[in-house]
Amino acid sequence: MEETAMKNERGVTRHTFDEVIVPTYAPSSFIPVRGSGLSLWDQDGKEYLDLTGGIAVSGLGHAHPALVETLQRQAERLWHVSNYYTNEPVLQLAQALTDATFADRAFFCNSGAEANEAALKLARRWAFDKHGAQKARIISFVNSFHGRTLFTVSVGGQPKYSEGFGPLPAMIDHIPYNDIAAAREAMGDDVCAVIVEPVQGEGGVVPADPDFLKTLRELCNENQALLIFDEIQSGMGRTGHLFAYMAYDVVPDILTSAKALGNGFPIGAMLTTNDIAASFTVGVHGTTYGGNPLAAAVACKVVEIINAPDFLSRVQSAGESLKKMLEGIVADYPSVFSAVRGMGLMRGLAMSNAFPGRAKEVTSAAEKKGLLALLAGPDVIRFVPPLIITADHISQADKLLRQSVDEWLKNGG
Ligand SMILES: *Cc1c(COP(=O)(O)O)cnc(C)c1O
């Protein structure tokens, strides 16, 4: 078998991970070696239905033919030139993203954390330039996730990620998500920025209430603070809109994107207006790979495919089908699951109070059946499949998930 031959050739197994990789992760017991669409195959040739999409990254699925072709074509032309020179793919990508959004300008980097790092540094620098050093406070939300750099774990609302890394950047407040009164109370003229995920991803798949985001916009306007939307997970078509802010009709000052922007080729972007971008003058911020031609060429093609009305309306209807499927499971297993949350193809299935902290047992059972799903905290199973998911995939997932839950319950649940 082809996959077995590959394994022998490479001579590595899951055990190798435990010997040579810094143990920040505890990956699953199988090693994916090949993907196509929503399918993944492991070293033994076993096939999995992938509803994780590499954590909301593979929006167009694995090995999308148009992206493979784009990457191959660019690989033969130009890989890298540094920011001493610009390049055609990055200019085309910036044009596409600014044409499609509120933004006038884009800054490119290599990951979500770096996009947020740029956004937070820009907000502080903009406030410093316009109002002075005292306007440095950042408001963020409990359970939010913004990445793993020191600044972004400090701004993120999950203390476990910043524990033991102090001293941390200062003047950062964390207030409850979707709590308008708390936001009003926390706001002041020393605030330079409010950073929020329109749909909290890692924090449990929790969409913002429309009035909450509208209030944040008003509070930022009243206090000359910048509103930053972290759309690293909720963007690039995930909600059935290119970015979730379009569904809410609340326009941020800065927007960050990454994950599905490169469909697996690392790239991050920070989008903003002319006025705010003016604070990032030559030499103030940068990164060697930012706007790399390979990444930019792939992202350009991704934007072209996703930002089409037909594509996005298909995501909306697929999102409704996924929601209906999961609601059917809640209805049939009311003692196990309590609710379905989310927007579009970003959905969370919450465990009931009878099974606290046990979502992982269900995803492990599903994995054995060949169905891959994620967690969003200990109590929520998260589904962020490729946006090209079909009705057939959804009914297959329905069947596999039910079989997995049955087996898990039979084995003592
Ligand atoms: C994944 C994620 C990040 C971090 O992105 P990385 O590419 O892992 O650095 C930041 N914010 C949100 C909302 C995310 O989902």
Side-chain angles (χ1 to χ4, degrees), residues 31-346:
I31 301 182
V33 295
R34 192 162 63 86
S36 173
L38 274 80
S39 293
L40 274 181
W41 288 270
D42 71 11
Q43 288 182 312
D44 299 324
K46 179 178 171 185
E47 185 175 352
Y48 299 83
L49 176 60
D50 180 10
L51 300 193
T52 73
I55 316 189
V57 166
S58 313
L60 297 174
H62 300 286
H64 189 288
L67 300 183
V68 172
E69 200 215 311
T70 299
L71 183 57
Q72 282 174 341
R73 196 152 17 95
Q74 187 59 41
E76 285 162 8
R77 287 177 73 96
L78 189 65
W79 286 28
H80 182 79
V81 290
S82 89
N83 286 299
Y84 277 102
Y85 315 93
T86 189
N87 66 76
E88 290 176 353
V90 78
L91 297 175
Q92 286 159 355
L93 176 60
Q95 256 173 355
L97 287 171
T98 55
D99 283 351
T101 65
F102 72 94
D104 306 312
R105 291 175 183 270
F107 171 84
F108 293 104
C109 49
N110 316 292
S111 67
E114 281 178 79
N116 284 333
E117 185 82 20
L120 295 163
K121 281 180 71 179
L122 176 58
R124 282 233 172 123
R125 185 69 175 224
W126 170 87
F128 176 88
D129 290 346
K130 296 243 166 169
H131 304 277
Q134 79 293 341
K135 192 172 175 70
R137 194 151 61 90
I138 292 166
I139 292 179
S140 161
F141 297 92
V142 173
N143 275 334
S144 64
F145 182 79
H146 298 298
R148 299 293 201 112
T149 63
L150 194 62
F151 203 169
T152 54
V153 291
S154 306
V155 168
Q158 303 193 36
K160 64 181 182 201
Y161 293 138
S162 57
E163 199 179 293
F165 294 120
L168 303 175
M171 291 189 76
I172 299 165
D173 292 340
H174 299 95
I175 62 174
Y177 190 69
N178 273 336
D179 186 336
I180 289 177
R184 284 193 196 288
E185 182 144 347
M187 205 62 192
D189 63 8
D190 63 341
V191 173
C192 67
V194 174
I195 181 166
V196 65
E197 294 161 86
V199 186
Q200 279 194 340
E202 307 299 312
V205 193
V206 187
D209 297 333
D211 283 346
F212 173 66
L213 291 186
K214 288 199 172 77
T215 304
L216 294 182
R217 179 68 274 174
E218 285 162 21
L219 290 171
C220 285
N221 291 350
E222 289 162 13
N223 292 275
Q224 290 84 49
L226 301 182
L227 182 60
I228 304 171
F229 277 4
D230 177 346
E231 293 234 31
I232 289 161
Q233 191 159 155
S234 63
M236 292 310 294
R238 179 62 47 195
T239 65
H241 302 263
L242 182 62
F243 290 104
Y245 86 82
M246 297 164 174
Y248 282 98
D249 204 16
V250 175
V251 180
D253 300 298
I254 300 177
L255 180 148
T256 53
S257 177
K259 290 209 163 96
L261 179 58
N263 206 72
F265 202 103
I267 183 168
M270 177 194 69
L271 307 179
T272 191
T273 62
N274 280 323
D275 174 56
I276 298 162
S279 284
F280 262 5
T281 49
V282 174
V284 168
H285 190 60
T287 167
T288 297
Y289 286 129
N292 167 286
L294 292 171
V298 172
C300 237
K301 187 49 98 177
V302 171
V303 174
E304 182 190 314
I305 295 171
I306 289 180
N307 192 29
D310 284 357
F311 187 94
L312 291 170
S313 69
R314 257 213 72 251
V315 173
Q316 288 178 21
S317 57
E320 285 307 307
S321 305
L322 177 61
K323 175 175 177 241
K324 238 188 233 145
M325 181 275 267
L326 295 173
E327 282 172 349
I329 290 182
V330 174
D332 292 343
Y333 297 87
S335 65
V336 179
F337 302 108
S338 62
V340 180
R341 294 198 292 258
M343 278 172 80
L345 284 171
M346 186 172 178

